[in-house]
Amino acid sequence: MNEVLFVEQREPDWKRLNLLTAKADSSPANLRQDELEEFVRLYKRVSADLARVRTRSANVELIEFLNDLCAKAYGVLYRAPKPKIWSAIVGGIRTSAQTVRRRWKAVALSTGLFIASGIFAYGSLKLAPQTREYYIPAAWADTFRSWRDGNMPERGLGESLAMTGFYMGNNPRAAIATGAMAAGTFGVGSAYLVFFNGGLIGALVHEVEPAGRIGYLFARILPHGVTELSGLFLSGAAGFVMGGALLMPGRRSRGDALRIAAKDGLTLLVTSIVMMFIAAPIEGFFSFNPAIPTPVKILFAAASAIAWAFFWIGFGVEKPEDDQALANRSRKSSTAA
């Protein structure tokens, strides 16, 4: 093979294919219809050139050049289509629901710890009033007093908007802290934060009970609390998943066990953050809105709880193939063999 003559004759096609490959690098849609047809033709020709050079030339540089050019063109030509934004969102939501079901024990542990800490705090304050300073920090004393006296301010539009912004910044940070503390504390830090928040609710119930304001309390907490507290439970579960991998790595090293568990842990943590964002405008505009009657708030909270329960239990469930479908697949495999 006259290599010099071969290169002179074929180089224009190589340059043209390289140009079209660069143009289509971000997306083949960048090519016009005629350019796409030309791209396919050139790819076939250059692939043939590569095969010829490999068998008839010892020029390593030329072989590597054509090989790289064909590889780039192949990557553009057979690239999997990018999923649409909506499909990606639905896929992420499905993954969240599936992860919650798969890690239900960690979610149950986080929820149970929160409820138990609330009951424990309430009982402690009933039986040992001197523990009040522990359960009601000085920084929270005025807030607790406002709840007890029924003086929680009803917000106007401007303040509701400002508080929504505050909740969107503060509550996700709390979720991140609860989940992220797991790796450094073997899950103990996550457990403490879940326990602490549950204790605050128990102490608050104890504080408002003598004034007969338990209904007042829950009517203003539950509309957003169903979503917000669920997010807290998931962030705690994320911590327990990663902490459990460190405490009980099995046959793996702790690093490998944590790396594997972190996938589910991160999914739970991101889901909890999203739930905190969802709860923020509800808390800012709905829960403390004086124009919304208390029964409506309770109904909204109940509907939210039912909706979330159906979502966690049923969304993204993969239906197993029935016996007939399995038999058909087996028959096809046997025929192919």
Side-chain angles (χ1 to χ4, degrees), residues 236-249:
F240 294 148
V241 166
M242 291 185 282
L246 289 171
L247 290 172
M248 296 175 288

Side-chain angles (χ1 to χ4, degrees), residues 168-188:
M168 283 185 170
N170 180 73
N171 295 350
R173 280 200 301 270
I176 293 171
T178 303
M181 290 182 66
T185 63
F186 289 79
V188 175

Side-chain angles (χ1 to χ4, degrees), residues 42-334:
L42 290 174
Y43 170 71
K44 292 179 179 179
R45 292 176 185 172
V46 176
S47 296
D49 292 342
L50 174 61
R52 184 179 181 184
V53 169
R54 279 177 169 171
T55 57
R56 299 188 181 184
S57 174
N59 190 332
V60 176
E61 292 183 356
L62 180 60
I63 294 174
E64 290 181 350
F65 168 76
L66 292 175
N67 186 70
D68 290 344
L69 181 56
C70 287
K72 291 177 183 178
Y74 179 90
V76 170
L77 191 60
Y78 293 99
R79 179 187 302 158
K82 294 181 179 179
K84 295 182 179 179
I85 294 178
W86 177 247
S87 298
I89 293 173
V90 172
I93 295 173
R94 183 184 298 110
T95 299
S96 295
Q98 292 170 344
T99 303
V100 169
R101 287 194 294 274
R102 184 168 56 252
R103 295 292 187 172
W104 69 269
K105 291 182 180 179
V107 177
L109 176 60
S110 180
T111 305
L113 179 62
F114 180 90
I115 295 172
S117 67
I119 295 173
F120 183 80
Y122 177 85
S124 297
L125 289 169
K126 278 285 188 183
L127 299 175
Q130 65 271 21
T131 61
R132 188 176 186 278
E133 293 184 0
Y134 172 78
Y135 287 106
I136 306 176
W140 290 78
D142 291 340
T143 301
F144 273 64
R145 190 177 303 111
S146 296
W147 279 109
R148 183 191 63 203
D149 299 338
N151 293 329
M152 292 301 294
E154 306 288 2
R155 299 165 184 161
L157 178 61
E159 189 174 5
S160 295
L161 186 61
M163 291 307 297
T164 298
F166 170 77
Y167 298 138
M168 283 185 170
N170 180 73
N171 295 350
R173 280 200 301 270
I176 293 171
T178 303
M181 290 182 66
T185 63
F186 289 79
V188 175
S190 300
Y192 170 76
L193 289 178
V194 172
F195 187 88
F196 175 79
N197 281 280
L200 281 178
I201 297 297
L204 188 54
V205 171
H206 176 271
E207 192 74 1
V208 303
E209 183 183 28
R213 297 195 180 277
I214 292 181
Y216 174 89
L217 169 68
F218 284 109
R220 285 158 178 76
I221 286 182
L222 289 180
H224 65 274
V226 169
T227 301
E228 184 179 298
L229 292 178
S230 297
L232 175 67
F233 301 155
L234 293 186
S235 66
F240 294 148
V241 166
M242 291 185 282
L246 289 171
L247 290 172
M248 296 175 288
R251 296 182 178 181
R252 301 185 179 94
S253 67
R254 283 191 166 84
D256 289 341
L258 179 61
R259 187 162 51 253
I260 294 171
K263 182 179 179 181
D264 282 354
L266 183 59
T267 299
L268 291 171
L269 185 57
V270 170
T271 304
S272 74
I273 294 170
V274 172
M275 295 183 74
M276 294 294 184
F277 278 116
I278 294 173
I282 301 174
E283 185 173 3
F285 288 95
F286 187 89
S287 297
F288 293 93
N289 190 335
I292 301 175
T294 295
V296 174
K297 294 179 180 180
I298 298 300
L299 286 174
F300 179 87
S304 296
I306 294 171
W308 280 118
F310 273 103
F311 172 75
W312 298 126
I313 294 171
F315 189 82
V317 173
E318 297 179 353
K319 296 181 180 179
E321 293 181 293
D322 57 24
D323 294 340
Q324 185 61 44
L326 290 173
N328 291 339
R329 176 183 292 185
S330 178
R331 191 178 300 113
K332 290 179 180 179
S333 298
S334 300

